[in-house]
Amino acid sequence: MLTLRESDIQLGCRADDWRAALDQAAASLVDAGLTTPDYREGLLSRETQSSTYLGNAIAIPHGTPESRAHVLNTGVRVLQFPEGVEWHDGQPVHVLVTIAAQNDEHLDILRQLTHVLDRDDVAQRLAGASDTEEVVGLLSRAPLRARLDADTLCLGTPARDLGELAMAGAARLRQAGCVGDGFIAELASARLQWLGQGAWLAIAERDVVTPALSLVTPADELEAHGESVNGVFCLAASGDSHLGLLDQVATLLEHGELETLRRGDAATLLALLAGEGGATRTRQVRVLNAHGLHARPAKQLVQVAREQALPIGVRLAEGGVESVSATSLTKVIGLGARRGQWLVLSAAGEDADSALSAVADAVNDGLGEAVEAFDDSHEDMPAATPAEASPAPSPLPDDTAHQAVAASPGLAIAPVFVMRLPRFDYARLADDAAAETRRLEAAVAEGAAQLAALTRSAPGGEVAEVLSMHEEMLDDPELLQAAREGIQEGYSAEAAWWEAIDTAACAQERLADRLLAERAADLRDVGRRVLGRLCDVELPEPPAHPYILVMEDVGPSDVARLDTQRVRGLLTARGGATAHSAILARALGIPAVVGAGDRIMALANDTPLILDGESGRIVPAPSTARRERAEQQLADRERRERDAWEARFEPAQTRDGQRVEVAANLGNTAHAADAVSRGAEGVGLLRTEFLFMAHAQAPDLDTQVTEYREALDALDGRPLVARTLDVGGDKPLPYWPVPQEDNPFLGLRGIRLALTRPEVLATQLEALLRAAVGRPLRIMLPMVKDVAELRTARAMLDRLLSDIAPDARATDVQLGVMIEVPSSALLAGSLAVEADFFSVGTNDLTQYALAIDRGHPELSAQADGLHPAVLRLIEMTVEAAHAQGKWVGVCGELASDATAVPVLVGLGVDELSVSARQVPMVKARLRDISMDTARDQARRALSRATAAEVRDALEQA
Ligand code: PEP
Ligand code: MG
């Protein structure tokens, strides 16, 4: 937890405006060794998303999640501005509490500061404070409240007598950091007081850090003084701050509810202690906001609560038993509720239910923020009853083609293996801790034995490595210890084990190192294996023969771990072609079809399947005739691939000699040599944003020159088409913050964004010009909507051409635009007059023409570049360009679609730029067709009304 110290305070700062103040704050974090200078961008970016002004002249700048990588140590710096600074939202600020935190520790600071917000004179006192102690005093935490929460409960404890129960309570309080050893010593000799109803109370005062109450219940029937024991309360008393806790125990006694102690779980007991029995109605609702109940959503919650006719209380289900008023902003923020935590809303009186529903609905709706449902797949909440579960999808019909999204080319014919994550149903709580511990230990041992057997029989390589890593994970004593502790708290072996796994996996996910973070998936795999043993549920094991892997969705780490020997193809219910996993599948050369919908999950294991990663079609249980055709196609394809590879260096042209250049799309200049070795006749699209993304800040002129030169050297005189920085939308650049937008794809991206920082664009143009001395250089602008953007960039380029001596720069330079916004295709006539060339980005052009997000998990299957609307836009583009003697390339994914190649060529496209792996096959495809056939295919395609009709027409031709 972050706390303020005098050495954190810097008095007497002065700044002209908020940016200057933020710069000082960032510099002070660097001086204190808390962050690197790059964290400043994160602070700035956070402010552009929303103000960190808290109230009472205090702002709490903190970085974005992406900038956490620049945090060296967690800490805080407090800067006092006696004269004040106007924050960007117009608020006067006297104190900046700037936080360097690797996770959500800023919520702790926020919580500590909430009490300051209630006090009227704090702003003036902070502004006028003349020593650091005074500032710490003003900002420091209010006295700690007495604790009684899930962490101080100790349910189902094995014990032989009252003394052992009392000591277990004392030990729990020490674990929770509320007391020291002195408390335990005093409690050991304290006399237990009889409360009635089978309950006793033990009190001690020595060595109390925080007043707290622990409740210990016995695991088995226990008697003392002729009474059956329901529980022992163990009180750490201090001053009079524990009196409220005694009140709560008294309330339980009054209601005669101590009898329920032994039967209740932690949630029930906390609810009783919170006074939520009787006439009080309650409602639980989960916080979905990514950053918890910070100031903005808390404000919304308070507003909704104020609109209700009844007072509403709110507390954290796993927090203390004290409800706070839902109409107090500071109290609601003070809960420090994080995403995923449950709030307990309570109210008493007529209409309590509808008031609670109104507040709960507002929380579910995100309290003014866009929120995503919490992933409950690993939660130990009660499982949905069969009646509530969504109906199972109907299976796909046999021997019928089903269209989905082509994600990685290639044809696969094999039986399917459907990876269904099993459902684990289990009770959350259990009475017999000793028995649960034994069950857990047996399940872990069985899981380890399974893994050892699998490792022995694994073919070696990556699979064996992964399995033996899983074995090691299972051997981790801390994991088992955490689960044992959970069992002692009253949880079942399953719930305690999964909690231990999930906690470790979440911690892993927070690591900055991507690879290490991805190990969280392994931990959960291991966790499921043991859960399977505990619940007696068989985990799906892939077959030993080749198969097509069918999954709900697939993460990059799943793809990286695929057994490439056996997995012939990949089919997923969700995901788009541009997802990382699809990109990885392409890199591994595994045919993949994604976004096929839930019905594929109903396929029976071992159903034969044809998967065409090129057209995106799958055919389950094909007829013998269809299967033989597909096998023939596969054999043909393998032969064609071999032939294409042999002929890869031949010039790309149609059968009748029409040259159509085939170039490669690159994201990394280092891959240019590989592209050339695959027969690429140039680079038709260098996505320079990846170079920018690979650096922590914008690469300077020299760095860029070196990188571009690497590609140009490898190309050895072949043309390079470099696209200027294309970020924004789905490609954020951490050090170039863009204000949060409702529709980033329609917002500041591509050339629009680049023109907001002309110096960055000018440096990039200069670097390209300087790197390309003596070589052909084509520069193209992304996301151009009309000629105005081209003119601005042209003026910039012309200035550079006249400023740099001709011998220090490229002289064969063309400036073109990408056609990826429908307006630019419609206005191709005016653009063609001033642009030197066009390159059609069919990925975005399709997205914008059809209004379908290219990464949409369900809809992207319909975002087909062969849609006649897209083809007409391409036709218009080519006609306009050729009328002005300009050339047109296509660099979107459509250029490598074997069905689309003749159509594009028939429309008059002069260049196709495709991923390097595709170059030999696209060249071969060109050699297959004559211009007459190509024109005929283009005509056919243009005459159809839908993408499906286009594909059908082309296949039948
Ligand atoms: C396109 O939109 O077709 C394109 C090539 O650009 P990107 O995929 O990088 O957006
Ligand atoms: Mg694009």
Side-chain angles (χ1 to χ4, degrees):
M1 174 174 301
L2 294 179
T3 44
L4 297 178
R5 292 162 310 172
E6 275 185 64
S7 55
D8 297 326
I9 317 282
Q10 214 171 308
L11 297 175
C13 303
R14 203 166 273 116
D16 287 339
D17 57 28
W18 72 274
R19 275 179 193 274
L22 198 65
D23 281 348
Q24 287 181 34
S28 128
L29 291 176
V30 175
D31 291 346
L34 299 178
T35 67
T36 68
D38 295 333
Y39 192 64
R40 176 187 165 277
E41 290 297 327
L43 293 174
L44 204 56
S45 164
R46 180 67 186 74
E47 295 296 336
T48 57
Q49 288 166 10
S50 68
S51 170
T52 61
Y53 179 77
L54 194 61
N56 255 354
I58 303 169
I60 53 158
H62 48 275
T64 53
E66 299 77 42
S67 63
R68 286 173 184 169
H70 308 306
V71 173
L72 305 173
N73 292 299
T74 293
V76 178
R77 298 290 293 164
V78 178
L79 273 63
Q80 178 215 37
F81 294 86
E83 290 164 22
V85 185
E86 184 178 319
W87 210 237
H88 54 90
D89 54 3
Q91 300 287 350
V93 164
H94 283 298
V95 167
L96 285 187
V97 181
T98 311
I99 301 163
Q102 270 144 347
N103 47 49
D104 283 340
E105 283 129 320
H106 67 282
L107 287 176
D108 288 330
I109 284 283
L110 193 63
R111 202 167 32 219
Q112 287 176 49
L113 292 175
T114 50
H115 74 284
V116 182
L117 304 181
D118 282 339
R119 305 213 309 255
D120 292 338
D121 58 344
V122 162
Q124 294 93 314
R125 290 178 61 194
L126 282 172
S130 55
D131 65 55
T132 50
E133 192 183 348
E134 193 179 349
V135 175
V136 171
L138 284 166
L139 294 181
S140 286
R141 201 172 168 64
L144 278 174
R145 281 199 299 259
R147 277 188 63 182
L148 167 54
D149 51 41
D151 287 343
T152 67
L153 296 185
C154 200
L155 308 180
T157 307
R160 284 168 302 185
D161 55 35
L162 285 177
E164 283 188 9
L165 285 177
M167 291 320 291
R172 172 48 53 96
L173 292 180
R174 188 174 57 174
Q175 256 172 21
C178 300
V179 300
D181 289 342
F183 176 86
I184 303 209
E186 187 183 331
L187 199 97
S189 54
R191 226 171 59 82
L192 272 80
Q193 302 169 33
W194 165 242
L195 294 177
Q197 300 171 33
W200 275 261
L201 172 67
I203 306 182
E205 290 180 320
R206 230 166 79 197
D207 214 359
V208 172
V209 183
T210 308
L213 183 71
S214 169
L215 167 60
V216 193
T217 61
D220 303 305
E221 291 295 331
L222 192 66
E223 282 203 358
H225 311 296
E227 296 275 352
S228 128
V229 177
N230 285 323
V232 171
F233 289 97
C234 187
L235 181 68
S238 170
D240 53 11
S241 48
H242 61 276
L243 296 180
L245 296 175
L246 283 179
D247 272 356
Q248 269 147 338
V249 176
T251 313
L252 275 189
L253 277 169
E254 266 167 33
H255 291 144
E257 281 166 327
L258 284 180
E259 304 284 356
T260 56
L261 289 186
R262 282 217 37 228
R263 276 173 280 123
D265 59 15
T268 315
L269 290 177
L270 289 174
L272 286 175
L273 287 160
E276 286 160 7
T280 304
R281 312 288 297 169
T282 58
R283 179 82 187 262
Q284 292 216 12
V285 62
R286 186 171 236 164
V287 177
L288 301 177
N289 304 65
H291 303 293
L293 279 192
H294 60 95
R296 265 177 304 142
K299 225 183 262 177
Q300 292 264 347
L301 189 148
V302 166
Q303 251 157 26
V304 181
R306 284 186 184 154
E307 285 159 15
Q308 310 308 315
L310 302 162
I312 295 182
V314 54
R315 67 178 177 90
L316 280 179
E318 293 183 7
V321 296
E322 196 187 329
S323 266
V324 299
S325 164
T327 54
S328 160
L329 178 60
T330 53
K331 296 264 167 54
V332 171
I333 292 179
L335 293 171
R338 295 165 203 259
R339 175 174 159 81
Q341 287 190 304
W342 291 89
L343 301 176
V344 181
L345 306 169
S346 56
E350 216 178 301
D351 286 342
D353 282 335
S354 67
L356 294 178
S357 294
V359 180
D361 289 350
V363 175
N364 279 328
D365 288 347
L367 298 165
E369 293 189 332
V371 291
E372 278 179 24
F374 198 79
D375 177 6
D376 247 58
S377 55
H378 56 266
E379 291 292 314
D380 52 4
M381 296 302 294
T385 61
E388 289 164 344
S390 50
S394 57
L396 291 170
D398 287 355
D399 194 33
T400 309
H402 176 72
Q403 183 70 48
V405 184
S408 175
L411 190 64
I413 307 164
V416 298
F417 168 63
V418 187
M419 178 69 91
R420 295 183 186 90
L421 280 188
R423 190 190 154 99
F424 301 108
D425 288 319
Y426 51 83
R428 199 166 162 245
L429 302 169
D431 286 337
D432 190 344
E436 292 299 294
T437 308
R438 282 194 299 277
R439 284 181 60 228
L440 176 66
E441 287 170 354
V444 169
E446 279 177 51
Q450 269 182 356
L451 280 169
L454 284 170
T455 314
R456 278 195 302 278
S457 61
E462 286 192 16
V463 187
E465 268 173 40
V466 169
L467 289 169
S468 75
M469 176 177 68
H470 283 196
E471 260 188 281
E472 270 170 41
M473 285 177 166
L474 208 45
D475 208 21
D476 179 349
E478 283 186 23
L479 210 52
L480 199 57
Q481 184 52 26
R484 283 197 190 108
E485 283 172 14
I487 291 176
Q488 292 306 323
E489 285 166 23
Y491 290 102
S492 63
E494 292 88 343
W497 170 250
W498 190 254
E499 177 68 26
I501 287 284
D502 201 37
T503 307
C506 288
Q508 198 86 26
E509 272 160 353
R510 281 199 289 271
L511 296 178
D513 183 317
R514 274 258 311 273
L515 266 181
L516 288 178
E518 283 177 1
R519 293 287 79 85
D522 292 291
L523 256 172
R524 293 201 171 96
D525 278 358
V526 172
R528 276 190 211 99
R529 185 171 293 283
V530 173
L531 218 45
R533 299 322 316 133
L534 282 167
C535 302
D536 207 12
V537 171
E538 282 305 316
L539 286 189
E541 288 291 350
H545 55 73
Y547 58 92
I548 291 173
L549 180 62
V550 181
M551 294 177 86
E552 188 82 34
D553 201 353
V554 58
S557 65
D558 297 318
V559 179
R561 290 186 294 143
L562 285 184
D563 173 1
T564 47
Q565 300 293 316
R566 281 185 292 168
V567 177
R568 289 290 147 86
L570 194 60
L571 173 63
T572 69
R574 315 199 179 289
T578 53
H580 264 113
S581 20
I583 293 165
L584 256 170
R586 282 195 284 274
L588 288 173
I590 299 174
V593 169
V594 300
D598 286 339
R599 295 174 76 188
I600 59 162
M601 297 307 289
L603 284 169
N605 273 342
D606 278 333
T607 307
L609 185 93
I610 301 174
L611 177 146
D612 186 342
E614 209 134 355
S615 68
R617 287 192 198 180
I618 52 164
V619 182
S623 62
T624 314
R626 198 195 280 262
R627 189 193 168 104
E628 281 169 5
R629 274 202 308 276
E631 273 163 0
Q632 186 57 48
Q633 269 175 16
L634 187 59
D636 286 351
R637 186 184 166 93
E638 282 166 2
R639 183 186 40 74
R640 276 188 285 116
E641 270 174 356
R642 275 195 307 278
D643 294 350
W645 182 255
E646 298 287 302
R648 67 193 183 282
F649 294 124
E650 286 174 19
Q653 56 187 18
T654 59
R655 197 189 312 157
D656 47 347
Q658 173 74 38
R659 278 280 283 140
V660 179
E661 209 166 278
V662 175
N665 289 349
L666 293 189
N668 184 339
T669 50
H671 296 164
D674 173 65
V676 170
S677 75
R678 290 174 188 273
E681 296 176 315
V683 165
L685 166 63
L686 175 65
R687 290 180 161 107
T688 60
E689 55 274 12
F690 290 110
L691 158 64
F692 280 69
M693 286 174 189
H695 290 81
Q697 53 200 27
D700 61 14
L701 183 74
D702 290 344
T703 311
Q704 289 192 56
V705 170
T706 311
E707 300 242 8
Y708 301 141
R709 201 172 275 150
E710 184 174 13
L712 286 152
D713 285 350
L715 285 171
D716 195 21
R718 296 172 185 85
L720 167 73
V721 183
R723 172 171 75 186
T724 58
L725 186 58
D726 182 19
V727 289
D730 58 337
K731 289 180 278 194
L733 198 54
Y735 49 87
W736 195 336
V738 175
Q740 203 160 12
E741 298 173 312
D742 285 342
N743 291 303
F745 277 116
L746 304 180
L748 261 183
R749 57 168 304 198
I751 190 69
R752 297 173 200 162
L753 182 62
L755 289 176
T756 64
R757 297 258 294 260
E759 72 288 358
V760 177
L761 184 57
T763 306
Q764 179 172 37
L765 294 177
E766 181 174 347
L768 285 164
L769 288 173
R770 288 189 185 277
V773 181
R775 344 265 189 132
L777 173 65
R778 318 281 174 248
I779 299 172
M780 68 178 173
L781 310 171
M783 301 297 300
V784 167
K785 71 173 190 318
D786 58 36
V787 77
E789 288 148 337
L790 171 62
R791 284 185 185 143
T792 313
R794 170 76 76 190
M796 199 182 275
L797 183 67
D798 285 348
R799 238 185 347 265
L800 288 164
L801 286 170
S802 73
D803 286 354
I804 309 170
D807 58 350
R809 62 161 168 86
T811 48
D812 176 5
V813 183
Q814 294 182 3
L815 180 65
V817 298
M818 287 192 75
I819 303 291
E820 36 185 5
V821 179
S823 66
S824 63
L826 295 166
L827 296 173
S830 54
L831 277 163
V833 176
E834 301 185 34
D836 297 322
F837 66 95
F838 290 149
S839 183
V840 186
T842 49
N843 306 339
D844 277 316
L845 188 62
T846 309
Q847 145 164 285
Y848 293 120
L850 305 184
I852 295 179
D853 180 341
R854 61 195 262 186
H856 193 287
E858 274 112 40
L859 294 178
S860 56
Q862 294 177 47
D864 187 344
L866 270 180
H867 193 283
V870 180
L871 296 179
R872 280 181 197 218
L873 292 170
I874 299 175
E875 182 189 34
M876 293 170 80
T877 304
V878 176
E879 276 175 8
H882 286 181
Q884 295 294 329
K886 311 290 168 67
W887 63 273
V888 181
V890 171
C891 62
E893 294 301 306
L894 194 67
S896 55
D897 180 330
T899 314
V901 167
V903 178
L904 295 174
V905 172
L907 288 173
V909 165
D910 307 285
E911 178 234 39
L912 297 171
S913 191
V914 301
S915 72
R917 278 183 97 99
Q918 305 293 319
V919 168
M921 282 299 272
V922 172
K923 280 181 151 183
R925 181 82 181 109
L926 284 172
R927 281 191 289 272
D928 255 8
I929 50 175
S930 69
M931 280 311 285
D932 279 347
T933 348
R935 288 194 199 99
D936 182 52
Q937 293 282 65
R939 264 193 304 275
R940 266 170 191 273
L942 285 169
S943 68
R944 304 300 146 137
T946 65
E949 283 180 24
V950 170
R951 287 204 180 266
D952 282 347
L954 296 175
E955 271 172 26
Q956 280 156 22

